[in-house]
Amino acid sequence: MTESNPPAKLDRALLMKDAMRELSAPTRRLFLRRALSLGGLAMLSGCSISNDKSVDSFLKGVSRFNDRVQGWLFDPNRLAPTYPESMITRPFPFNAFYARSQAPRVDGDSYRLEVSGLVADKHSWTLPELHQLPQVDQVTRHICVEGWSAIGKWGGVRFSTFLQRIGADTSARYIGFKCSDDYYTSIDMATALHPQTLLTLSYDGQTLPREYGFPMKLRMPSKLGYKNPKHIAALFVTNTNPGGYWEHYGYNWFGGS
Ligand SMILES: Nc1nc2c(c(=O)[nH]1)N[C@H]1C(S)=C(S)[C@@H](COP(=O)(O)O)O[C@H]1N2
Ligand SMILES: [Mo]
């Protein structure tokens, strides 16, 4: 995909955005998953793919395009489905870039959540302080790109409530997360403010277990598994896209589910 003609590319993107608005949500999803394939987009953008390098930059272009389309399509008021507790998957699957036994052991007593970037209040948060904020819980489906999904119950603080408490600049574009296992990822502000995005402290009514992200993870039913960081040690508000661990290896950054 050449960068020489950005206005034309944008026009196509805008046309697409309008076209997508006319479709029902399930049709849009199907369109994104199936029709926006390599061939489909090659036709739309009219570029030729002749060697490995152009394939690579083409795919990066597709992924960036997808980020934009997904960002546009994201409806801050649409809720992901919730389920009865009888449908909770037991035992809940574990996944990380290492084996279960290697999940980090974080000491809850000395834990401090570091907060930085475009926020008014940069003080670090202890676990009891986080527990003092209003708590909610929800039963939602976690979808992993590796081909499994599972229903779980997560409880904690609405992330929008937390962002408000720290005086985050909610006109900023991104929130970045650093985890104690060296995982990292980042999300868009619209998703951060979504009512189902939870700063999660509990799983299935109990303290969040070690392997599922103790002491704290971010749970977003609107995003794929890899966008849900476990063992969060620090978060920051920024206008520079911080990327992510799997995103660095080519997973789509927006990662909507
Ligand atoms: N810190 C950290 N967070 C992470 C990961 C990880 O390796 N480290 N893996 C991600 C992926 S790919 C998935 S599917 C989910 C798995 O969460 P679970 O173990 O609660 O099922 O965590 C996500 N968050
Ligand atoms: Mo995943």
Side-chain angles (χ1 to χ4, degrees):
M1 183 170 296
T2 88
E3 297 293 323
S4 59
N5 202 357
K9 215 161 78 187
L10 201 69
D11 282 354
R12 284 193 196 94
L14 286 170
L15 274 173
M16 189 96 127
K17 184 187 164 194
D18 283 345
M20 297 278 232
R21 275 224 192 87
E22 307 294 321
L23 303 172
S24 67
T27 318
R28 266 196 316 247
R29 275 157 183 262
L30 271 179
F31 181 78
L32 279 175
R33 296 217 176 112
R34 310 236 173 96
L36 204 61
S37 62
L38 198 65
L41 213 83
M43 266 167 56
L44 266 172
S45 58
C47 60
S48 68
I49 305 168
S50 50
N51 57 36
D52 276 4
K53 206 169 156 237
S54 66
V55 168
D56 190 58
S57 61
F58 174 77
L59 287 174
K60 285 198 179 116
V62 170
S63 196
R64 275 197 304 270
F65 181 86
N66 263 326
D67 284 343
R68 261 183 290 158
V69 173
Q70 290 184 79
W72 280 326
L73 289 177
F74 183 74
D75 176 349
N77 299 311
R78 188 165 66 208
L79 297 183
T82 55
Y83 302 87
E85 297 201 6
S86 59
M87 285 179 72
I88 292 175
T89 309
R90 295 191 169 95
F92 195 83
F94 164 84
N95 199 27
F97 63 95
Y98 43 75
R100 181 186 286 255
S101 60
Q102 287 170 296
R105 292 171 195 276
V106 178
D107 173 29
D109 293 335
S110 59
Y111 176 75
R112 300 286 182 278
L113 170 65
E114 285 172 32
V115 172
S116 64
L118 305 170
V119 299
D121 178 0
K122 292 187 174 139
H123 98 271
S124 300
W125 289 69
T126 63
L127 277 181
E129 282 178 313
L130 292 175
H131 279 282
Q132 272 160 24
L133 296 174
Q135 311 281 312
V136 293
D137 55 41
Q138 64 199 18
V139 180
T140 55
R141 185 184 293 277
H142 171 119
I143 302 168
C144 173
V145 283
E146 285 174 38
W148 56 271
S149 81
I151 293 172
K153 179 180 167 186
W154 290 273
V157 184
R158 279 210 175 93
F159 197 43
S160 60
T161 305
F162 183 75
L163 289 175
Q164 205 185 344
R165 290 298 171 105
I166 63 175
D169 173 1
T170 52
S171 71
R173 297 180 66 181
Y174 310 105
I175 322 279
F177 301 91
K178 293 182 195 164
C179 308
S180 34
D181 57 1
D182 292 334
Y183 195 78
Y184 68 104
T185 188
S186 54
I187 60 168
D188 53 292
M189 185 60 77
T191 300
L193 297 173
H194 186 276
Q196 286 172 310
T197 297
L198 281 197
L199 196 156
T200 302
L201 299 162
S202 76
Y203 179 75
D204 208 0
Q206 293 169 12
T207 301
L208 190 65
R210 177 171 72 96
E211 63 266 48
Y212 301 122
F214 183 82
M216 202 271 280
K217 69 171 270 182
L218 196 75
R219 171 68 196 137
M220 294 166 280
S222 61
K223 284 211 191 291
L224 292 166
Y226 65 89
K227 297 299 294 183
N228 291 239
K230 305 192 284 187
H231 318 287
I232 298 173
L235 62 85
F236 54 102
V237 178
T238 174
N239 280 310
T240 309
N241 190 329
Y245 182 94
W246 288 118
E247 294 88 332
H248 176 74
Y249 290 106
Y251 281 18
N252 172 251
W253 178 78
F254 194 87
S257 75

